[in-house]
Amino acid sequence: MSLPKAELHLHIEGTLEPELAFELAARNGVELPYADTDTLRKAYRFEDLQSFLNLYYELMAVLRTERDFEDLANAYLARAAAQGVRHAEIFFDPQAHLARGVEMGTVVEGLGRALEHSQAVHGVSTQLIMCFLRDESAESALETLEAAKPYLDRIVGVGLDSAEVGHPPAKFREVYEAAAAMGLRRVAHAGEEGPPEYIVEALDVLGVERIDHGLRCMESPTLVERLVRDRVPLTLCPLSNVRLRTVDVLGDHPLPAMLDAGLMCTVNSDDPAYFGGYAGDNFEAVRVALGLGEEQLRELARNSFLASFLEHDEGLRARYLAEVDAYEF
Ligand code: HPA
Ligand code: ZN
């Protein structure tokens, strides 16, 4: 669906399509334990978040040079632009690369090469959000923030991702305080597989401005009331929820109930190469499976721009919102 939208929940490593994975593997002399792209695609059957993360981290082995990260980002931006994405706030996972001997500079400079021309080449404005892996230690997160210091002019904020259950947000209090002191915006994954209490903790302890996923807020009426009152944006990822089995089928997704409750929902793709669709595909899928009408789709698109970190250019935000209002379905 080409409705203009911002993508606020997108892991750049999760945009690695099998074809590009094999191309980069050949370029870098990396052996992949899959015969070809078809065999690899057959591995895209996930039981839960962890079973996906295992493959997600395994395939990152092909990302080694600045050019690899540049090619990855350009491929994503081209696909996103074709699906109506006008603005993208892009997550990356530096610890997963540092662990393989790929430096912070390689990742940020490589992504930066694609991002700096994105507005001109793809018509997509961009920001970068650096995520900490919550199944790694708090010390490792602090070291990662330290390693990012030379690149802070290119990083708008910090996030928290990877295996959620057993790794509550409070583990990262110190690094989020340090990030805030550096002027970084704060978001965190919470309530994807973890309980509603993790959402509360992300708000109260980490001071986040948006919740990534947040699906399980629906189990706590008091939390829903708070999220509605404070207009806390939720970056939902419907196709991801089905593939990772947090909802059984798309027709059961709570998105319509969440909109009815007055929650500030957005629709995003998470890891589109793995979950069967980019941002426009996610919009189209919820339109069909959940029967969302034009005004609900327009609300989701407006929310995406209202929730985006565009404070440095309110004129741009206003232009994007006007485009949403003028869109003809
Ligand atoms: N959840 C948590 N961590 C992640 C995800 C996700 O959907 N994608 C990439 N890292
Ligand atoms: Zn995610």
Side-chain angles (χ1 to χ4, degrees):
M1 183 182 293
S2 63
L3 174 67
K5 58 186 77 66
E7 172 130 85
L8 306 179
H9 186 155
L10 180 280
H11 304 265
I12 196 66
E13 297 90 347
T15 69
L16 180 61
E17 294 284 346
E19 290 73 20
L20 184 59
F22 274 93
E23 190 185 321
L24 298 183
R27 191 155 95 191
N28 293 323
V30 173
E31 191 88 38
L32 284 176
Y34 303 92
D36 51 36
T37 53
D38 285 343
T39 318
L40 174 53
R41 273 211 168 81
K42 292 205 178 81
Y44 289 13
R45 291 178 159 271
F46 308 115
E47 304 299 318
D48 53 16
L49 175 57
Q50 188 61 55
S51 63
F52 153 70
L53 289 170
N54 295 343
L55 183 62
Y56 171 81
Y57 293 125
E58 178 180 59
L59 285 195
M60 282 186 204
V62 305
L63 297 166
R64 302 225 53 97
T65 67
E66 280 186 26
R67 188 176 151 214
D68 299 339
F69 286 94
E70 178 185 7
D71 290 352
L72 180 70
N74 267 322
Y76 162 68
L77 290 163
R79 284 175 183 265
Q83 298 206 357
V85 172
R86 296 286 193 279
H87 177 74
E89 301 191 352
I90 298 173
F91 294 140
F92 69 109
D93 283 329
Q95 285 157 294
H97 307 305
L98 287 162
R100 304 180 292 107
V102 177
E103 297 298 329
M104 180 73 75
T106 306
V107 183
V108 177
E109 301 279 3
L111 295 174
R113 284 205 226 161
L115 269 45
E116 70 186 337
H117 301 299
S118 175
Q119 183 74 264
V121 175
H122 304 288
V124 180
S125 53
T126 59
Q127 314 249 43
L128 266 185
I129 297 176
M130 178 174 84
C131 285
F132 304 114
L133 302 183
R134 67 200 308 153
D135 44 357
E136 299 287 331
S137 67
E139 293 74 38
S140 172
L142 278 164
E143 286 163 19
T144 308
L145 184 63
E146 193 62 31
K149 271 189 177 160
Y151 308 101
L152 288 184
D153 56 332
R154 275 171 278 171
I155 298 172
V156 72
V158 295
L160 190 62
D161 64 4
S162 202
E164 184 180 7
V165 174
H167 301 285
K171 180 176 163 186
F172 297 95
R173 174 199 299 267
E174 201 181 339
V175 73
Y176 269 67
E177 279 172 5
M182 292 175 188
L184 291 164
R185 314 292 293 261
R186 289 164 287 170
V187 301
H189 284 52
E192 180 186 20
E193 287 189 344
E197 291 75 26
Y198 283 19
I199 300 174
V200 175
E201 224 176 86
L203 294 167
D204 290 343
V205 180
L206 304 185
V208 302
E209 298 174 71
R210 300 194 298 240
I211 297 287
D212 295 313
H213 293 297
L215 206 65
R216 289 190 60 190
C217 74
M218 295 304 275
E219 296 167 28
S220 166
T222 50
L223 175 56
V224 169
E225 206 174 296
R226 173 182 180 181
L227 295 171
V228 170
R229 184 193 66 216
D230 295 343
R231 292 202 42 83
V232 178
L234 306 178
T235 64
L236 301 172
C237 306
L239 290 175
S240 165
N241 297 149
V242 175
R243 290 298 186 100
L244 300 186
R245 307 206 186 176
T246 37
V247 302
D248 288 336
V249 291
L250 199 54
D252 290 346
H253 199 283
L255 175 60
M258 296 175 91
L259 287 171
D260 284 347
L263 287 162
M264 190 177 189
C265 300
T266 66
V267 164
N268 308 271
S269 69
D270 209 4
D271 301 282
Y274 294 89
F275 300 151
Y278 286 76
D281 301 320
N282 272 269
F283 269 75
E284 182 62 19
V286 294
R287 185 187 72 76
V288 172
L290 301 169
L292 295 192
E294 291 181 6
E295 285 323 302
Q296 286 170 307
L297 296 166
R298 213 185 292 278
E299 178 185 345
L300 290 168
R302 284 187 62 83
N303 286 348
S304 71
F305 292 114
L306 293 170
S308 58
F309 296 146
L310 278 169
E311 280 76 5
H312 64 288
D313 194 346
E314 289 296 346
L316 186 60
R317 191 196 318 265
R319 282 214 305 281
Y320 289 145
L321 286 167
E323 263 196 82
V324 174
D325 292 343
Y327 182 79
E328 288 184 26
F329 284 90

